Amino acid sequence: MIGVLRDVFDVFLAGEEFDSFAELTSGHINDTFLVTTKQQHKYVFQKINKGVFPDVPGLIGNKVNISNHLHHKLSNLTKKERQRRILTFLQTSGGESFYTDQNGDFWNVTIFIDESQTFETVTDPEVAYEGGKLFGEFIFLTTDFDSSKLVEVIPNFHNMYFRFDQFRESLQNASEERLGKAKSYIDRANELKKEMLILQDLKDSGQIRTRVTHNDTKISNALFDLEGKGLCVIDTDTIMPGIIHYDFGDAIRTICNTAAEDEKDLEKVEFNMDFYEAYTKGFLEKTGDAVSDLERKYFPLAAKTMIFIMALRFLTDYLNNDIYYKTSFPGHNLVRSANQFKLIQSFEEVMGRVS
């Protein structure tokens, strides 16, 4: 790996000297490395997983174009301040945003944001609030970017009709044993189908606008300073056209579950309303008039829908004999699906109490 990293280094950082590297293991898809130069500058080298993303140049183009847009929007800040608030992509000596190595793998390089931290889970409403502000600001600052200029890096990623088609096919191909074990969740998925198609229909009819969305708004993709204040939105591989509810709902799904995504003891799975309210407050403070009344009206449904889409995807993969998600034990995907369905139940109960 050191040889490849040096090749990438020479293309992006010809004026500096390579010193050391360390692998960053927080991501699950791409290979990421922290590289330090003899000049004591730090950079993040990332190899994009071309097996997951069919159009890597398009993906990198999305990231770079949005980052450039954000730099322009925050041009009132100093260059140093902007490089802490926004991912800054380097260009190769030939003026390209990526380098293709001898194996055909694609690399991009960003400036490392020092004196920062991430959170894998939320244990404090203040973190949820700061995360909401950070992702809300991302929506606000990109609201004037023409999303039609972005590549759809994962086609149909949040398309609910597509996910139900996959589910229907899995029902036709699943074993009797798995169908039996999953029956209660299959019934629940079918019961919720009409409600879970509402946002998709609003998007398809144009009643809710298509805009720039991040599409992976878990709290670990928010970078905080050492005092716990929101700093920078990171891991922008899945930027593409979408609706605001994708980003709001996915953040709520990951922030407000009181248990791990594959917790077997469903008694531990509850929806944390305090975190929901804190995140929503921060999100709305920063999105401001970039959010329409109609969009705001469907935020609660967005949370439920994004929980559901993961419940359905886990269930579909279980019925397909676990061909997509990595599993650690028999029935792992069914446990994950049960977990998300329990979170929906808790969400309904909590929302019922406050409505």
Side-chain angles (χ1 to χ4, degrees), residues 63-99:
K63 295 196 293 185
V64 172
N65 287 334
I66 292 300
S67 283
N68 290 342
H69 179 79
L70 294 175
H71 276 279
H72 175 72
K73 297 288 286 192
L74 296 180
S75 58
N76 60 303
L77 302 180
T78 67
K79 182 178 179 180
K80 184 176 181 180
E81 288 173 327
R82 282 186 281 114
Q83 288 177 347
R84 284 185 59 73
R85 295 280 307 280
I86 307 161
L87 290 178
T88 303
F89 290 85
L90 301 189
Q91 289 189 329
T92 67
S93 54
E96 299 292 334
S97 299
F98 62 88
Y99 166 71

Side-chain angles (χ1 to χ4, degrees), residues 51 67 163 224 233 238 255 342:
S67 283
R163 296 303 179 186
F224 295 77
V233 171
T238 51
I255 288 170
K342 173 61 192 305

Side-chain angles (χ1 to χ4, degrees), residues 54-160:
D55 182 1
V56 178
L59 177 155
I60 295 173
N62 285 356
K63 295 196 293 185
V64 172
N65 287 334
I66 292 300
S67 283
N68 290 342
H69 179 79
L70 294 175
H71 276 279
H72 175 72
K73 297 288 286 192
L74 296 180
S75 58
N76 60 303
L77 302 180
T78 67
K79 182 178 179 180
K80 184 176 181 180
E81 288 173 327
R82 282 186 281 114
Q83 288 177 347
R84 284 185 59 73
R85 295 280 307 280
I86 307 161
L87 290 178
T88 303
F89 290 85
L90 301 189
Q91 289 189 329
T92 67
S93 54
E96 299 292 334
S97 299
F98 62 88
Y99 166 71
T100 310
D101 66 22
Q102 293 181 349
N103 298 316
D105 291 315
F106 296 87
W107 293 80
N108 62 246
V109 175
T110 56
I111 295 174
F112 178 72
I113 301 173
D114 218 341
E115 296 184 346
S116 62
Q117 61 179 325
T118 57
F119 298 98
E120 290 300 316
T121 58
V122 173
T123 58
D124 183 341
E126 189 64 20
V127 173
Y129 171 68
E130 287 292 326
K133 287 202 299 181
L134 198 56
F135 285 117
E137 183 181 49
F138 177 85
I139 290 291
F140 178 78
L141 292 175
T142 58
T143 195
D144 58 344
F145 187 96
D146 182 358
S147 64
S148 69
K149 295 181 179 179
L150 297 175
V151 172
E152 192 175 5
V153 295
I154 306 178
N156 295 310
F157 190 43
H158 292 316
N159 186 314
M160 192 63 82

